[in-house]
Amino acid sequence: MAAAGSLAKHEQILVLDPPTDLKFKGPFTDVVTTNLKLRNPSDRKVCFKVKTTAPRRYCVRPNSGIIDPGSTVTVSVMLQPFDYDPNEKSKHKFMVQTIFAPPSTSDMEAVWKEAKPDDLMDSKLRCVFEMPNENDKLNDVEASKSAPVLNTSKQDGPMPKPHSVSLNDTETRKLVEECKRLQADVMKLSDENRHLREEGLRLRKVTHSDKSGSPTALALRENGSNPLPSLLVVIAAIFIGFFLGKFIL
């Protein structure tokens, strides 16, 4: 009995969470990840290594390392996509193997090779595959239904914009009316200018027979070439350009 007791392995020093089962929740059409937490409650550094019976089906990060005293390491176990058969039970298993870290840990491969079987500690976990139940499916449907409502409420935020557009329309109408009024004034001034030119031509014809040096002829020529109406047309055109520029900008 004493010999058998001396060959017994040490109990696992790390605290595993979960302790016995690694649960993977489907559907399994994509990578499914579950986490395994390793906590070191001792006052010594602990080396760990994670092994599995199906290495091609899982990706483990990190799969080995050193845990400081009082620290916790989270190991991500990623199950690769596969065709799930509910009638087939999973036979995959994981093992967490540990050993107290020696003084020198520069070469971890040598540490594990030189480790004595009595110094090794291990814990085994089985893999459990679960498919979503009906309640989970209903919750997913409700969440997908509520998503468009949230999007609609976000879109309702900028609704005050039509009010600002109506104000711009009112200002635009005022500018258009002002431009029309100025155009009417320009047309009126153009008519007056044309009338004055015709009057000037008529007066030139009347005075053509008079002497070119007489005061009457000079006065008539000055009246016929009066530039005042043309100046008014230029001023009106400047006003129209100003308002049209303001309207376009």
Side-chain angles (χ1 to χ4, degrees):
M1 293 296 294
S6 62
L7 295 176
K9 291 184 178 181
H10 296 289
E11 292 185 3
Q12 178 62 266
I13 190 62
L14 298 182
V15 178
L16 278 62
D17 181 21
T20 57
D21 296 338
L22 286 177
K23 295 183 179 181
F24 298 88
K25 194 170 185 179
F28 301 100
T29 55
D30 200 354
V31 176
V32 179
T33 302
T34 189
N35 292 327
L36 172 63
K37 294 183 179 180
L38 307 177
R39 181 171 64 87
N40 179 10
S42 69
D43 56 356
R44 298 174 57 184
K45 291 183 178 182
V46 176
C47 303
F48 75 92
K49 183 164 54 175
V50 181
K51 298 180 179 181
T52 179
T53 57
R56 295 183 179 181
R57 299 285 298 276
Y58 298 90
C59 180
V60 182
R61 293 292 183 274
N63 58 2
S64 63
I66 301 175
I67 307 177
D68 293 329
S71 299
T72 301
V73 170
T74 300
V75 177
S76 296
V77 182
M78 291 160 277
L79 173 63
Q80 303 304 307
F82 71 101
D83 294 330
Y84 174 71
D85 185 0
N87 297 323
E88 182 181 355
K89 294 184 179 180
S90 173
K91 298 180 180 180
H92 302 165
K93 292 182 174 61
F94 276 81
M95 181 175 68
V96 179
Q97 199 170 44
T98 59
I99 186 176
F100 284 111
S104 176
T105 56
S106 58
D107 188 357
M108 289 304 301
E109 292 185 4
V111 170
W112 288 107
K113 287 181 180 180
E114 296 174 359
K116 298 178 180 180
D118 294 344
D119 295 334
L120 295 176
M121 300 167 281
D122 58 61
S123 298
K124 295 181 180 179
L125 302 95
R126 68 186 185 97
C127 297
V128 179
F129 299 153
E130 296 179 347
M131 289 297 292
N133 54 35
E134 294 300 326
N135 291 333
D136 293 339
K137 292 181 179 179
L138 291 175
N139 292 335
D140 293 340
V141 172
E142 293 296 331
S144 62
K145 288 182 178 179
S146 62
V149 177
L150 294 175
N151 293 335
T152 303
S153 62
K154 290 181 180 179
Q155 294 176 356
D156 292 340
M159 288 304 291
K161 286 186 177 180
H163 180 65
S164 61
V165 173
S166 63
L167 292 177
N168 291 334
D169 291 342
T170 302
E171 186 177 356
T172 301
R173 285 195 296 269
K174 290 181 180 180
L175 290 173
V176 171
E177 292 174 359
E178 184 68 18
C179 289
K180 289 181 179 180
R181 185 182 65 80
L182 290 173
Q183 288 177 351
D185 292 341
V186 170
M187 292 179 66
K188 183 178 179 181
L189 290 172
S190 298
D191 292 338
E192 292 179 356
N193 187 39
R194 181 175 53 81
H195 178 71
L196 290 172
R197 286 183 179 180
E198 292 176 354
E199 185 67 19
L201 291 174
R202 187 182 64 81
L203 292 174
R204 285 194 185 97
K205 290 179 181 180
V206 173
T207 58
H208 182 70
S209 59
D210 296 342
K211 294 181 180 180
S212 60
S214 64
T216 304
L218 291 173
L220 290 175
R221 280 196 294 269
E222 290 177 357
N223 291 333
S225 60
N226 189 359
L228 181 58
S230 299
L231 181 60
L232 293 176
V233 173
V234 172
I235 293 174
I238 291 174
F239 275 104
I240 290 176
F242 171 75
F243 280 101
L244 288 177
K246 181 178 179 182
F247 170 70
I248 293 173
L249 294 176

